[in-house]
Amino acid sequence: MDHDYLLSEFDRLVSEGVVLYDDKQTILHQQDGGLTFQFVLTSALNKKPTAATAGEQSKELVEKSVRPGSDIDTNGYELGHVGGSHVLVANKFCYARPHYLLLTEDGYARQYEPLNRSDLAAAWALLSSRGNDKLSLFFNCGNGAGYSRLHKHMQLIPTPRNTFASFLDSADGTEPDVPFQWFYQRFSDPTVTSVGNVVDTYQKLLRKAIKAIETCQGHESDNFPGAVCSHNVIMTTRWILVIPRRRPSVRAESGANAMGMLGYIAVSSKADIDNWTDQGLCKLLRQLGVPK
C-alpha cells in the first residue's frame, strides 16, 4: 500500500465521519532540560479510550462481529491485508494524517508480547512501499508502555519533525541528552536491508532494554505467558529505537506512549499540558522510563 493510497483512503474516512481527525489541531512548544517538547492539542482524542476504560468498552464488543479474542472493532475501518498475518486498519482517534493501526489477524495476539518475525515483516513491507519512507511505525508493548488495547497492534503515522529522535535521520546528527535510557541502531543502507536484519536488530535492542529494566526497581510488568518487559519501539526505513518503560504514567492525565517519550505528546486539552508541566517534563519522562 503506497503513500498516495494511504492518504486518499484516510481522507475519505475522515470526510465520511468514520474517523475523527482535527485538521485545526495546533502544536504548542515547551522547553525543559535543554529539550523541546511538542504538545499536539487536538479535539480528536476527546473520546479515545484509556487503559482504565478500555476493559469496560471491550465488553460491548462481545455482541459485535469482531475477531475472536480481539478488543478492537475493525468493521468499516479495514483497508486490506499486509502479508498473510496482518491487516491495516484506520485509527478512530487520530492526531496525524494519516494514522493507521497494523493489527495481527490473530485476535489472541497480545500487546504485552514482543514483536515477532511476522510482525516485523509486515511492518517492513509497509514502510518499504512507495512513498512511505517518511512514515514511522511505533509499538507500545506492555502495561508500562502506555497501551489502551490488548489486541497486538502497531501504529503508523508520518514521522514527526523535531522530536528527540530526529538526529537519527542525519548521519552527523547529535544525540540529545534525554533523561532516560534508550537503544537505537541506524540501517546502513535501507535499500538492501532485509527482514532478517530488522529482526536481528530489534532483538538485540530488546535484550538491552530487558537488561536495563532488570537493573532498576519499581517497574510495572505483565504477569502473563509470553509477556516481555514493557517497552516502546519506533521504527522507520532508516532506524529502530527501543525505550524500556517502568510505568505508563504518573498521573492518569500525563501518560506517554512511544511518541510521547520522544517529546511529541498528543493531548485533548490545555489542562492536560498543565498536568505535564506541573510535574516537570524531564522529571516525568525519567519516571516513565529507566533513568540514566
Side-chain angles (χ1 to χ4, degrees), residues 205-225:
L205 298 177
L206 179 57
R207 287 193 294 270
K208 292 182 178 181
I210 293 172
K211 185 176 180 180
I213 282 287
E214 290 174 345
T215 63
C216 72
Q217 296 180 343
H219 61 273
E220 297 189 15
S221 60
D222 296 271
N223 296 316
F224 302 106

Side-chain angles (χ1 to χ4, degrees), residues 185-197:
Q185 183 169 316
R186 293 181 177 92
F187 297 120
S188 57
D189 185 355
T191 62
V192 297
T193 299
S194 68
V195 172
N197 296 144

Side-chain angles (χ1 to χ4, degrees), residues 35 164-165 175-182 261 282 285-286 292:
L35 299 171
F164 302 161
E175 179 180 354
D177 185 18
V178 295
F180 53 85
Q181 295 186 47
W182 61 5
M261 295 300 290
C282 286
L285 291 189
R286 189 178 298 112
K292 285 185 173 178

Side-chain angles (χ1 to χ4, degrees), residues 126-136 159 236-238:
L126 194 56
L127 290 174
S128 300
S129 295
R130 184 171 62 88
N132 290 346
D133 57 310
K134 294 183 179 180
L135 301 180
S136 294
T159 304
T236 71
T237 55
R238 300 169 298 282

Side-chain angles (χ1 to χ4, degrees), residues 108-114 139-143 147 150 152 222 224-229 231:
Y108 290 99
R110 289 293 175 251
Q111 197 70 358
Y112 48 73
E113 300 168 349
F139 179 53
N140 305 314
C141 180
N143 182 54
Y147 69 70
L150 278 173
K152 193 178 191 182
D222 296 271
F224 302 106
V228 71
C229 78
H231 64 284

Side-chain angles (χ1 to χ4, degrees), residues 60-82:
E60 302 173 3
L61 299 179
V62 174
E63 299 177 356
K64 295 184 178 181
S65 178
V66 300
R67 286 176 176 77
S70 178
D71 60 350
I72 299 177
D73 180 11
T74 65
N75 292 300
Y77 296 87
E78 296 188 14
L79 267 72
H81 290 84
V82 181

